[in-house]
Amino acid sequence: MISKVAIWGAGTMGTGIAIAALNAGHKVQLVERDGAARSAARRRIAAFFERAAAKGKLSPETVAERIAGLQVLDADGRLAPVDLAIEAVFEDLDVKRKVLAMIEEAVPATAIIATNTSCLDLDELGTTLKVGERFLGLHFFSPAELNPVVETVRCSSTGDSSFMDAVNWVHQIGKSPITCLNRPGFAINRFFCPYANEAVRCYEEGLGTIGQIDDVARTAFDVPFGPFAVMNITKPEILFRAQSTLAKLGPFYTPSGLLSDMSASRQLWEIEGTVDVLPRSLATVVSDRLMGAVFKAVGDALAEGVASPEDIDTGAALALRFGRPPVSLMKALGDEKTGSLVRAVAVGQLPEVLPGA
């Protein structure tokens, strides 16, 4: 049973994972080289539990216990034995490889080693590790302390025991594990990234404003936020990097030119405050494009056995708050309609906009 956890990286994600583990009563060592980041992490963790106490969710005694379970160390600090070590540093292959090698040297030979990567290939990351059967992916969604989903990713070397221990730990901290294979995008980003990428393409082609396309997306999938609003939360450059890892799957998955430009400029999308209703003919085209992109990506993932239909829908509903999750929506629309949208978006042959629309 996992009860002692070390997390490398005290940024937004690493600190959020630390809060989730502490909130389950686990001992956490948070490792960070930067002194300012260590201080910020301590403040954020304390503030989280203080808010929980103020709302009556935790007693003052429990809050004290949770905070006492935290130890924040610099990268040169001596680590106490742990059951699980999670890498949560910058999404860069070489950086993560170096950190994973440091982790393997620092933890006991029995400890599970996990990466929180959202898009990098686990087999490539794991080439630095001597004992690959203890290596796997634990992809938390932001904000990690609150989002209920963790993709639990099995790579080619992951042992059965380590994988099941990781799945059980995700349950222990009160989250839902989405078990999936080490394929580009895993289960959730496999369809979310193409969905957002297709939204950018629709905007590039003048089918609607950013706000109008977000409105269509909210209706199509019954979501609280459209793809552009979500990208502004997570940053367009993050979406671009994740989409770029999917490009190896074929032209459909290639990032749009405008998304590439937004990533390079590190700008956010300008979503208009007042959104005019998109004419029905245009709204239908945009909706079909977005649905076709999601259905194409989900169909490919299911064909590859990346995750089960149930797990894909669970992840969509819980992590992304899709009121109409993709597999269920495909079933509701029927094979003929779903198939036509997938075929059309895959080859860029969706219907032309009606004249005068």
Side-chain angles (χ1 to χ4, degrees):
M1 179 175 173
I2 295 170
S3 62
K4 298 175 183 177
V5 182
I7 300 161
W8 264 255
T12 300
M13 187 58 70
T15 302
I17 296 170
I19 291 171
L22 288 165
N23 205 25
H26 294 175
K27 303 294 185 184
V28 173
Q29 297 172 81
L30 186 57
V31 183
E32 171 60 52
R33 186 178 300 279
D34 183 76
R38 291 196 299 271
S39 297
R42 288 191 187 95
R43 291 193 299 270
R44 181 177 158 199
I45 291 168
F48 175 89
F49 287 110
E50 287 165 3
R51 285 194 301 270
K55 294 177 181 179
K57 294 181 179 179
L58 295 175
S59 69
E61 293 77 16
T62 300
V63 167
E65 290 175 5
R66 298 292 186 260
I67 294 177
L70 172 69
Q71 186 177 13
V72 183
L73 306 170
D74 66 31
D76 298 321
R78 184 173 178 81
L79 198 73
V82 296
D83 309 306
L84 169 67
I86 302 173
E87 168 276 307
V89 298
F90 182 69
E91 197 80 351
D92 177 272
L93 182 66
D94 291 335
V95 172
K96 285 183 178 287
R97 277 178 169 167
K98 290 176 183 176
V99 172
L100 287 168
M102 289 171 53
I103 290 173
E104 188 170 47
E105 291 297 320
V107 302
T110 54
I112 296 170
I113 300 174
T115 174
N116 182 57
T117 185
S118 62
C119 62
L120 295 176
D121 183 273
L122 266 66
D123 287 327
E124 284 190 74
L125 284 172
T127 56
T128 61
L129 302 179
K130 303 179 183 70
V131 190
E133 67 265 21
R134 294 187 284 118
F135 180 60
L136 48 82
L138 287 174
H139 174 218
F140 286 73
F141 288 78
S142 186
E145 63 269 35
L146 300 177
N147 197 297
V149 168
V150 180
E151 285 180 316
T152 311
V153 188
R154 184 173 205 146
C155 61
S156 60
S157 64
T158 307
D160 291 342
S161 177
S162 294
F163 191 73
M164 288 312 302
D165 284 347
V167 169
N168 290 334
W169 179 74
V170 173
H171 281 299
Q172 287 173 36
I173 64 172
K175 296 188 181 293
S176 298
I178 304 300
T179 60
C180 51
L181 298 180
N182 176 36
R183 291 288 294 154
F186 308 141
I188 308 305
N189 277 340
R190 179 62 177 266
F191 72 84
F192 178 79
C193 290
Y195 154 74
N197 193 49
E198 195 67 24
V200 178
R201 287 174 175 159
C202 288
Y203 176 60
E204 277 184 303
E205 295 169 25
L207 296 179
T209 67
I210 289 175
Q212 288 171 332
I213 294 168
D214 265 6
D215 272 356
V216 171
R218 286 197 293 268
T219 300
F221 295 101
D222 187 18
V223 289
F225 302 102
F228 290 100
V230 174
M231 282 189 278
N232 277 355
I233 295 169
T234 60
K235 304 296 185 292
E237 59 265 29
I238 301 298
L239 191 286
F240 172 74
R241 282 202 298 270
Q243 184 69 33
S244 296
T245 66
L246 300 180
K248 67 182 75 173
L249 299 173
F252 164 72
Y253 292 96
T254 302
S256 75
L258 181 55
L259 181 59
S260 176
D261 293 343
M262 289 295 289
S263 172
S265 68
R266 295 184 175 272
Q267 295 179 348
L268 299 180
W269 301 104
E270 293 185 11
I271 305 175
E272 62 270 29
T274 301
V275 180
D276 294 329
V277 176
L278 197 62
R280 180 175 296 182
S281 56
L282 281 169
T284 298
V285 171
V286 172
S287 181
D288 284 354
R289 290 273 294 267
L290 298 179
M291 286 188 179
V294 169
F295 298 161
K296 158 71 173 165
V298 168
D300 288 350
L302 290 174
E304 295 167 23
V306 175
S308 70
E310 295 78 15
D311 271 359
I312 288 174
D313 269 8
T314 296
L318 296 181
L320 304 177
R321 298 171 66 185
F322 272 47
R324 304 174 78 193
V327 178
S328 298
L329 183 54
M330 291 164 74
K331 291 178 181 177
L333 292 177
D335 291 342
E336 184 175 350
K337 175 66 173 176
T338 297
S340 68
L341 294 178
V342 168
R343 288 189 296 273
V345 78
V347 296
Q349 293 179 349
L350 279 163
E352 294 292 333
V353 180
L354 297 176

